Every structure is written in structure tokens, then in C-alpha cells.
Amino acid sequence: ALRRVRALPGVVSATQCWPVMVYAPTAQVEIVGQASTEAQTVWFRMVGDGFFETMGIPLLAGRRISEADMTEARPVAMVNRAFANKYFAGRSALGRQVKLKPPDFFPPMKVAGFEIIGVVGDTVHAHGQEPKIQPQVFLPFTVGGTTWGMVFARTAGNPEALTKPIQSEFGALDKELPVGIGPIRDDLDFWYVEPRFVMGMLTGFALLGM
């Protein structure tokens, strides 16, 4: 399906990831060779090759997750700048080993330990309905046991013009496959714009009441 989407006219790049972009689950992390007296938690995300290029996230050091990493389900990881600053301040994060323990609802991963191969810029996620930046780990999509995922496509023009062509590519593979599709702006509006609008209305009514 991903190859089909990438081949569509108007698609600049495409990738896969779990979960949705506006949310990031947490996992317990252990830095191999680095003692810690308390449990450390970080955000984590399962991504495919081309993820950072598609989402416009800059590479700061090392390399990105490659197609070979995906195909062979290699135990590699990328971290964001916030992660590198917190756990390796003043030192390179490249080549260091980390262990992750995902939440109980997440299917068991094929491996627990990962080698850091790259550092990328920070991204924000909804947390209490407000954007926040936290240490984050990105893993190859194929090392996880997720039963669903998302395909993201960056387009050269209006993304809504490609919704039907992209959906038809999934239908060509499996007509019974449930597929939802739409611009990422819809998710951003749901998580950020609508709650702020409601909060603004409530604040206004409270002021009027006073």
C-alpha cells in the first residue's frame, strides 16, 4: 500500500507511523551503562522510512531510519533533541544503547534494546490539550506488534485532491479493509483549536457572570 501511495502523481513522499501524530504514548526507558535511581518515562513512536522527511522534522546528527532498517526490523532508534539534552548533555547520543518498556496495552516488541543512530528536532504533541515537548524515541515500525497504523503522504498541491486516489489504492489491495482518510489539519483542529475555542467561550461566560 505504501509503495502504491508513493507512486501516485502529486505525492512528494509517504511514510507510515503509529499512533496519530497529535498523540504520543509513554514508555519506561533505561540508558544502558547509566545508573538511575527512579523510573524514567519518554514518549515513543513507531515510524517508517521517510517519516522525518515527510513530516518535515530536521535531522540534527547521525542518520535516519532506512528502508533496510524496516525490512530487517533492526533494533535501532532515533531520539529528539530533548532526549539527547536530558540524558546525554554535552556528549553524543549516537551509538548509545537504550531499553524501552512500553505500556501494558502495547503488544510485545520483538526486541527491548535499541542503538541510537540519529538525533532529530523536537516536535510537540497534545498533553492535557496543550502542546508540549518531551524526550521522545522513534523506533522502526516493524519491530512493534501494532495491529494498525497510519500512512502519511506529503503532497505537492491540495492534499484533499488525493484523498480518493489514495483510498482507492488501499481498496485495490483489500476491498474489505476499513480505511479512514483526511488531511492532518482535521486532527490538529480536533485536538487544539476546538478545545481552545470551548475554553474561550467558558471563560467569556464566566467573566460575564462575574
Side-chain angles (χ1 to χ4, degrees):
L2 192 57
R3 287 195 295 269
R4 286 171 173 264
V5 171
R6 286 172 172 169
L8 285 173
V11 172
V12 177
S13 62
T15 187
Q16 60 195 122
C17 90
W18 177 95
V20 293
M21 277 303 297
V22 292
Y23 166 75
T26 59
Q28 292 185 8
V29 65
E30 175 188 343
I31 312 299
V32 178
Q34 191 167 305
S36 177
T37 57
E38 59 182 17
Q40 305 272 12
T41 59
V42 296
W43 289 342
F44 80 100
R45 179 173 298 280
M46 315 297 297
V47 303
D49 59 296
F51 174 80
F52 302 98
E53 300 94 320
T54 301
M55 303 310 297
I57 303 174
L59 178 69
L60 305 180
R63 68 174 181 86
R64 301 178 180 90
I65 291 173
S66 68
E67 185 176 1
D69 294 327
M70 294 284 293
T71 303
E72 301 174 19
R74 294 173 179 170
V76 297
M78 299 185 67
V79 299
N80 66 348
R81 190 204 312 261
F83 186 104
N85 288 343
K86 180 174 180 178
Y87 296 107
F88 307 108
R91 296 167 293 158
S92 174
L94 302 181
R96 298 297 298 269
Q97 299 284 331
V98 296
K99 293 183 178 180
L100 284 185
K101 183 182 178 182
D104 293 338
F105 70 81
F106 190 79
M109 291 192 292
K110 297 178 182 178
V111 292
F114 303 88
E115 177 186 352
I116 298 175
I117 59 171
V119 179
V120 295
D122 293 329
T123 53
V124 297
H125 295 282
H127 185 81
Q129 301 298 355
E130 285 299 324
K132 269 193 175 182
I133 294 175
Q134 298 282 6
Q136 187 166 8
V137 178
F138 301 88
L139 306 175
F141 193 90
T142 47
V143 303
T146 56
T147 56
W148 68 276
M150 303 190 73
V151 169
F152 285 95
R154 177 177 290 274
T155 66
N158 180 9
E160 294 186 2
L162 278 166
T163 54
K164 288 185 178 179
I166 290 176
Q167 195 161 23
S168 67
E169 294 300 333
F170 283 90
L173 294 175
D174 185 351
K175 293 182 179 179
E176 303 300 322
L177 187 67
V179 176
I181 187 169
I184 194 173
R185 172 60 58 186
D186 291 349
D187 285 341
L188 296 176
D189 288 345
F190 176 80
W191 281 96
Y192 297 145
V193 178
E194 290 184 17
R196 288 179 177 177
F197 176 73
V198 172
M199 185 59 66
M201 287 184 60
L202 292 175
T203 302
F205 289 140
L207 291 172
L208 286 174
M210 292 176 62

